[in-house]
């Protein structure tokens, strides 16, 4: 069996196959054309373009081709002691996964795998087990191993471009802001519908309203939404429970993720009162409209892997607290979730430049705009924040909006 694309988890999949007695090899396909005639089955990432020479060779040989997602689901199929939740979508995956893990952790031990890494949760608190992992489907194998080792009750996996079929509860957060993958030949939402096509018998589908497909539970503020968080309460199926969230939480930003997480928890058997209790005091997640104070400086942290240019403008719209304003914005790596839309970001920064006392641009692709925007340059988020703090005093504000893994 050939497993293509060593960059995105082929090695992990092939290693698990070998442990199970399958003759498998991980092959790099971006800079070489591997010999495939000796393999009966080829496993390729969904984002590998059809024109890739290895994909063309697999077709020429008539080999069956599976996605990484399907291979992982097949490898992990069987009895297990935990309930599995998988979360995908164009936006809101990480936040929904983490809020869901918090809720579930009040009913048992939960393990989450997100862009933050693999964490174990109990009573609303998390402990990091492993960081530095992407949300490629191959890493669900590592998350499943962690869930088994910690005797967890729930596994929540954030997955890029679809589900593996492992899920008892599959969550499609949103299809808003669709984009092309596989060399521009496939819409991301089409790939993400693997969440449905690979679903196991008896599993439940939870979907945001804008996904516009039939689901067991639909969430959102519109007429099709059966679960919705708004105005410091959560409503579901004609019932409501008050939400006692942390001071300063931007509920408008968090409402979609709270709604999706609550919908998944309800599908798993939690009731509204239990969900509301689990969210008591919730003050947000680092990197997702999280407000803190550092040395007297007010920091609005909105730097995360899913950041879009529109998220920068949303952060700028937040009411200020007086003092000078520094904005740290850009991207640490353009490969993070398709990279930032640089032209749109530059348009926003140009239009709102007069509101910003100190602008710090992050990343190589923003360098050409430093002079025109009268900005400073920083190679990464940490150095950008350090420069902002050095230039400000107590009572001033920093808005951090950098696209990066965190």
């Amino acid at each position: 069996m050939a497993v293509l694309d060593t960059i995105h988890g082929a090695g992990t999949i092939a290693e698990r196959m070998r442990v199970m007695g399958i003759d498998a090899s991980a092959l790099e396909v971006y800079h070489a054309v591997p010999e495939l005639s000796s393999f009966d089955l080829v496993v390729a990432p969904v984002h590998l373009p059809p024109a890739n020479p290895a994909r063309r060779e697999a077709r020429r040989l008539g080999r069956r081709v599976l996605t990484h997602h399907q291979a992982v689901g097949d490898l992990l199929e069987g009895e297990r002691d935990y309930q599995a939740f998988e979360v995908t979508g164009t936006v809101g995956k990480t936040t929904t996964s983490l809020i869901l893990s918090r809720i579930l952790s009040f009913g048992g031990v939960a393990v989450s795998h997100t862009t933050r890494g693999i964490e174990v949760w109990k009573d609303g608190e998390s402990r990091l087990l492993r960081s530095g992992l992407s949300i490629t489907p191959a890493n669900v194998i590592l998350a499943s191993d962690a869930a088994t080792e910690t005797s967890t009750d729930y596994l929540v996996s954030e997955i890029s471009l679809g589900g593996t079929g492992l899920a008892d509860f599959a969550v499609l957060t949103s299809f808003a802001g669709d984009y092309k993958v596989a060399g521009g030949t496939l819409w991301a939402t089409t790939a993400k519908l693997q969440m449905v096509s690979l679903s196991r018998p008896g599993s439940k589908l939870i979907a945001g309203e804008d996904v516009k497909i039939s689901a067991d539970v639909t969430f959102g503020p519109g007429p099709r939404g059966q679960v919705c968080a708004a105005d410091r309460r959560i409503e579901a199926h004609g019932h409501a429970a008050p939400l006692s969230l942390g001071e300063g939480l931007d509920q408008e930003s968090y409402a979609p993720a709270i709604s999706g997480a609550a919908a998944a928890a309800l599908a798993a058997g939690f009731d509204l009162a239990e969900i509301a209790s689990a969210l008591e005091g919730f003050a947000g997640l680092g990197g997702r409209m999280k407000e803190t104070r550092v040395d007297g400086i007010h920091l609005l942290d909105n730097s995360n892997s899913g950041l879009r240019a529109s998220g920068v403008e949303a952060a700028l719209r937040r009411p200020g607290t007086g003092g000078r304003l520094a904005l740290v914005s850009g991207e640490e790596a353009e490969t993070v979730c398709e990279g930032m839309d640089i032209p749109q970001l530059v348009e926003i920064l140009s239009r709102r430049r007069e509101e910003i006392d100190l602008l710090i641009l992050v990343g190589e692709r923003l360098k050409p705009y430093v002079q025109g925007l009268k900005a400073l340059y920083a190679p990464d988020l940490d150095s950008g924040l350090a420069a902002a703090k050095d230039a400000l005093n107590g009572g001033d504000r920093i808005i951090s909006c950098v696209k990066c893994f965190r």
Side-chain angles (χ1 to χ4, degrees):
M1 185 176 299
V3 187
L4 307 184
D5 183 358
T6 57
I7 297 173
H8 295 93
T12 300
I13 296 173
E15 180 181 358
R16 180 53 57 93
M17 288 178 175
R18 290 192 290 268
V19 168
M20 297 174 69
I22 302 170
D23 185 9
S25 297
L27 304 174
E28 195 278 323
V29 292
Y30 292 112
H31 306 96
V33 183
E35 194 284 315
L36 298 176
S37 62
S38 61
F39 296 100
D40 301 308
L41 181 68
V42 175
V43 180
V46 70
H47 54 71
L48 191 67
N52 178 272
R55 286 292 297 268
R56 289 204 308 265
E57 178 66 2
R59 289 197 300 273
R60 186 187 72 80
L61 292 169
R63 298 298 186 260
R64 183 186 178 201
V65 179
L66 301 182
T67 64
H68 279 197
H69 294 75
Q70 185 172 351
V72 169
D74 290 346
L75 290 170
L76 295 177
E77 185 179 13
E79 292 185 9
R80 56 179 185 269
D81 294 328
Y82 59 80
Q83 288 188 309
F85 296 74
E86 292 188 339
V87 183
T88 196
T90 51
V91 294
K93 296 185 295 297
T94 304
T95 309
T96 301
S97 298
L98 293 171
I99 294 175
L100 174 58
S101 299
R102 175 187 172 114
I103 294 170
L104 296 175
S105 74
F106 285 92
V109 178
V111 165
S112 65
H113 163 233
T114 69
T115 54
R116 295 203 320 191
I118 297 176
E119 300 170 79
V120 60
W121 294 73
K122 182 61 179 172
D123 296 331
E125 300 293 330
S126 69
R127 173 172 56 88
L128 185 65
L129 298 179
R130 182 170 178 176
S131 62
L133 296 176
S134 69
I135 55 172
T136 178
N139 285 330
V140 176
I141 295 173
L142 304 180
S144 179
D145 289 345
T148 299
E149 291 165 5
T150 56
S151 300
T152 189
D153 300 289
Y154 310 103
L155 171 62
V156 180
S157 298
E158 174 191 5
I159 307 177
S160 176
L161 297 175
T164 69
L166 177 68
D168 299 295
F169 303 93
V171 183
L172 282 167
T173 60
S174 175
F175 277 2
D178 202 3
Y179 55 91
K180 291 288 188 72
V181 297
T185 65
L186 182 69
W187 286 103
T189 53
T190 302
K192 291 173 189 294
L193 283 172
Q194 288 181 104
M195 183 70 82
V196 178
S197 62
L198 298 178
S199 61
R200 57 190 293 175
S203 63
K204 292 186 177 181
L205 176 65
I206 298 94
E209 281 185 295
D210 72 6
V211 174
K212 295 182 179 178
I213 64 174
S214 178
D216 293 282
V217 184
T218 305
F219 61 89
R224 295 181 64 245
Q226 297 167 300
V227 181
C228 181
D231 300 324
R232 298 277 165 169
R233 70 179 185 275
I234 187 160
E235 300 176 347
H237 309 293
H239 301 281
L243 288 174
S244 181
L245 303 170
E247 289 297 323
L249 179 75
D250 180 3
Q251 187 171 336
E252 181 180 355
S253 297
Y254 276 90
I258 292 175
S259 300
L266 285 166
F270 284 65
D271 61 36
L272 273 181
E274 290 172 323
I275 293 168
S277 177
L279 293 173
E280 185 174 353
F282 175 64
L285 301 164
R288 287 163 172 81
M289 286 294 202
K290 173 76 171 180
E291 295 187 34
T292 57
R293 214 169 257 284
V294 181
D295 298 328
I297 298 172
H298 184 86
L299 172 64
L300 176 61
D301 183 2
N302 195 36
S303 290
N304 61 76
S305 60
L307 181 69
R308 299 179 181 219
S310 58
V312 179
E313 188 150 40
L316 284 169
R317 286 198 297 266
R318 289 292 299 276
T321 56
R324 300 175 69 222
L325 170 63
L327 173 64
V328 182
S329 190
E331 62 181 16
E332 278 194 345
E334 64 179 280
T335 55
V336 178
C337 299
E338 305 300 314
M340 179 74 85
D341 184 338
I342 298 300
Q344 184 183 7
L345 175 61
V346 171
E347 187 279 324
I348 292 169
L349 296 178
S350 299
R351 176 163 39 84
R352 307 196 66 151
R353 183 63 183 88
E354 291 185 3
E355 305 169 35
I356 305 164
D357 298 291
L358 173 63
L359 176 61
I360 301 174
L361 299 179
V362 174
E364 287 292 326
R365 294 206 299 160
L366 272 299
K367 259 187 176 181
Y369 303 97
V370 168
Q371 185 173 352
L373 287 171
K374 298 178 182 178
L376 301 179
Y377 173 76
D380 52 45
L381 172 62
D382 288 342
S383 56
L385 288 175
K389 291 173 186 175
D390 286 345
L392 299 180
N393 299 306
D396 292 337
R397 292 187 294 144
I398 298 174
I399 295 178
S400 175
C401 289
V402 176
K403 195 175 187 71
C404 56
F405 288 116
R406 16 185 355 220

